Structures are given as C-alpha cells and as structure tokens.
Amino acid sequence: MSGAILKISRPEESTTGEDAPGYHRTVQMNKKLKGRNLVLFFVTSCLERRATNMYLSMLWSLLAVTVVSAAVLYVLYHWLIPTAVQSSGWLALLWHDVIHERLLDIMTGTSRPQRMLKAIQKNATKGDPQSIISAIDYYCRHKEWAMNVGDDKGLILDSVLMEVNPSTVLELGTYCGYSTVRIARLMSPGSKLITVEFNPAFAEVARQIIAYAGLQDKVTLVEGSSGDLIPKMKERFGIKYFDFVFLDHWKDSYAPDTKLLEDCGLLKKGTVLLADNVICPGAPEYLKYVRNSPRYESRYYKSNLEYTKAEDGLEKSVFLG
C-alpha cells in the first residue's frame, strides 16, 4: 500500500435539543395540547360546578317543598279540618270517628280505647271518679275525639240522675266506661248499675277504667247483645225493674230495646229513660215512638254533639205505665 493514505471519515454527530429535527414542531403540538387540555379542564369544571349547583338547587327545592307540605298537612290535620267540622255533626263523625281514628290506629298500633286508658292512667287520680271524667274530657277535647256522652251533655245526665236518685240502673252501651263512671259516682251506696257492652275489646278497657275509678262494687258489666240480655235480666240479676235506663248503644236499637224492656216488665211507672245522640247520629224511630206513645211523657234537652259545636241532645222519657 505504497504511498496510499487511508482517510477515515467520522460520522456526523447526531443533533439533539433545539437543533433536533421536528423539535419545534413537537413543542408547538405540546403547547396546543396543553391549551386544549386547559380549555377542556375549564369547560369540564364549569359543567361540574353547574351540575353541582343544579343538584344542590334541586335538593333545596325538594327540602323546601317537603317542609312547606309538612307544615300545610300539620295545619290541616291539627287545626283547619278539626275547626271546619266543629259545626257539622256528620262531618265531625266522618273526620273523628272514621278518618282520624283509623290514622292513629295505624300510626300507633293501638286502639282509641287503649289510648284513652293510657291517658287516664297517666293523668287521673286512681279511686277518684271525677278526676277520671275530667281526664277523659280533656283528652277528647285536646287530643282525640271520642263518642262519650261528653262534658256538656254529661251535666244534663247528672241533673236527671240526681233528680231520679235511682237504686237500679240499666245502661245500654258502655263503650270505654265514661258514662258508667259518670252515673255510678252519683248513685247511693247499695244501688246497682248493670251496663251492657256488645264489643269485647271495649268491655275490656271499660272494666279497667271502672276499676281504676274504684266503682267496681256498684257496677256489673255484661258482654253481649242487648236484645239477648234484656229478657234474662230478672232471672240472671234478680232485677224486678229499673228506675233509670240510659240508652247509648246502636241508635237503631233504641226503639226495639225499649219495647223489649216493656214486654219483659223491666219498666215501672215513673221509670226514666234517657237517650243520647237522638239528633246526631240520630234515633228518629225512637223519638217517633216515645213522643207519640201514651205510655211516655217526653222532653228534649238540646245540647251539642260531644266535644263539638254541632247540635245534639238527650231525650228524657218518663214511663207512665
């Protein structure tokens, strides 16, 4: 290799950094992507914020509607409806004795008589009949209506009872024992009150209320139909006749039971019959009978349906023999 010179060429150094091919294009693309991402992030944030605000607004609206609805229902339930039905007997019975009672039965899992018994045990003095009457009247006026004879008509019942001063009394329809306690507390020692109740659940509560009043020695509570029990009174209880009869059971039973008392010889000359609710719900057949029969002298005592302003009254009928 004479005189030959080998020339070794060095490869070109690769270019990096800002001199690299496409560097500026990459940077520009990254900038564009970053810009798009920022825009997308901004738009997404705005949409999320807007969705959150809409969600919160819906929650507040729902809460406001719920609160207002609850307030309206409360006012309707506790004030407007009870006030509106005060002057209408049939509306009062529909609201208090059907709708309201069933709602409370469902909500509490108890019956009205059971709730009334609980109120008595909580607020009345054991062995004090007047305390029990006052506790029931307060409960029925301020908590839950019930179809007792009530405080207004109760004063009429008291007056007639004291006038008669009976030794033997028959009550048809005990319910929870309110009128039983009201009558028995005014009866003389040694007198006897027989009260009849068809509904076993009512009778169970009535027994407890009568015992709580300390009047169980004066009162005999009998379960069953008045139509079945009246013919057995003489034989079963040694009753010759009744001095006073208080009718407060099924209104369509007033007339037939009165006639049955006559047929069984349980009424004597001067026996007083006092019938409740003769206007509301009403006992037209009974009123027609005692007001037109020559065997009775009758008088109507105008009053109000228990714990309302609707008209109702008691019919006092004296048996003339």
Side-chain angles (χ1 to χ4, degrees), residues 134-176:
S134 298
I136 294 175
D137 285 334
Y138 182 87
Y139 180 82
C140 292
R141 278 202 179 275
H142 300 281
K143 301 292 184 180
E144 181 182 6
W145 182 93
M147 203 165 188
N148 309 307
V149 67
D151 43 8
D152 290 342
K153 289 183 294 182
L155 295 176
I156 300 171
L157 171 59
D158 291 351
S159 176
V160 174
L161 194 70
M162 287 187 290
E163 177 188 323
V164 177
N165 190 25
S167 296
T168 53
V169 174
L170 173 65
E171 179 186 35
L172 299 177
T174 309
Y175 187 40
C176 296

Side-chain angles (χ1 to χ4, degrees), residues 27-319:
V27 169
Q28 290 297 323
M29 289 179 65
N30 286 340
K31 287 182 178 179
K32 288 181 181 179
L33 287 173
K34 287 181 179 178
R36 289 175 184 175
N37 287 341
L38 286 173
V39 172
L40 182 61
F41 175 77
F42 177 76
V43 171
T44 304
S45 298
C46 290
L47 290 175
E48 288 178 350
R49 191 178 296 112
R50 184 178 179 184
T52 301
N53 290 336
M54 288 178 63
Y55 178 71
L56 290 175
S57 178
M58 288 175 61
L59 281 179
W60 280 112
S61 299
L62 181 60
L63 180 61
V65 169
T66 302
V67 170
V68 171
S69 299
V72 170
L73 287 173
Y74 181 87
V75 172
L76 281 172
Y77 185 80
H78 289 281
W79 186 64
L80 285 180
I81 294 177
T83 301
V85 303
Q86 275 288 305
S87 299
S88 171
W90 284 106
L91 287 178
L93 291 176
L94 175 63
W95 170 250
H96 292 298
D97 218 26
V98 179
I99 300 172
H100 190 214
E101 181 181 9
R102 291 181 183 177
L103 284 173
L104 288 178
D105 288 353
I106 293 170
M107 290 189 293
T108 65
T110 61
S111 67
R112 176 185 284 167
Q114 290 170 334
R115 294 188 291 273
M116 198 180 304
L117 173 62
K118 187 176 179 180
I120 290 168
Q121 293 169 336
K122 180 181 179 181
N123 301 303
T125 303
K126 189 173 184 179
D128 183 351
Q130 186 57 52
S131 172
I132 291 169
I133 291 168
S134 298
I136 294 175
D137 285 334
Y138 182 87
Y139 180 82
C140 292
R141 278 202 179 275
H142 300 281
K143 301 292 184 180
E144 181 182 6
W145 182 93
M147 203 165 188
N148 309 307
V149 67
D151 43 8
D152 290 342
K153 289 183 294 182
L155 295 176
I156 300 171
L157 171 59
D158 291 351
S159 176
V160 174
L161 194 70
M162 287 187 290
E163 177 188 323
V164 177
N165 190 25
S167 296
T168 53
V169 174
L170 173 65
E171 179 186 35
L172 299 177
T174 309
Y175 187 40
C176 296
Y178 174 91
S179 53
T180 309
V181 171
R182 188 150 203 142
I183 293 169
R185 87 193 200 286
L186 296 176
M187 294 176 66
S188 304
S191 53
K192 181 181 291 187
L193 166 58
I194 297 173
T195 184
V196 175
E197 176 53 54
F198 179 77
N199 188 313
F202 294 168
E204 180 184 352
V205 172
R207 280 196 183 91
Q208 294 180 67
I209 292 177
I210 293 164
Y212 198 82
L215 296 170
Q216 63 272 23
D217 292 339
K218 284 185 181 180
V219 178
T220 300
L221 195 159
V222 190
E223 292 180 38
S225 165
S226 55
D228 294 335
L229 291 169
I230 288 173
K232 302 173 184 176
M233 288 288 172
K234 288 188 174 184
E235 179 183 352
R236 185 170 175 179
F237 300 106
I239 296 291
K240 293 183 178 180
Y241 50 76
F242 291 104
D243 300 314
F244 181 81
V245 179
F246 184 57
L247 297 95
D248 196 16
H249 56 326
W250 294 106
K251 312 314 166 189
D252 56 2
S253 295
Y254 282 16
D257 282 351
T258 297
K259 295 173 183 176
L260 188 57
L261 287 167
E262 295 172 9
D263 294 340
C264 293
L266 290 167
L267 305 181
K268 67 177 181 65
K269 184 177 181 179
T271 294
V272 173
L273 283 69
L274 191 65
D276 190 19
N277 302 123
V278 294
I279 300 300
C280 185
E285 184 184 351
Y286 174 78
L287 291 181
K288 181 180 179 181
Y289 176 68
V290 294
R291 289 176 179 179
N292 292 284
S293 172
R295 307 186 75 179
Y296 292 94
E297 183 180 278
S298 284
R299 175 186 174 186
Y300 172 64
Y301 289 82
K302 183 179 178 180
S303 187
N304 298 316
L305 178 67
E306 37 271 42
Y307 315 114
T308 75
K309 297 177 182 177
E311 183 183 347
D312 191 22
L314 296 159
E315 186 80 5
K316 174 189 174 185
S317 304
V318 180
F319 185 66

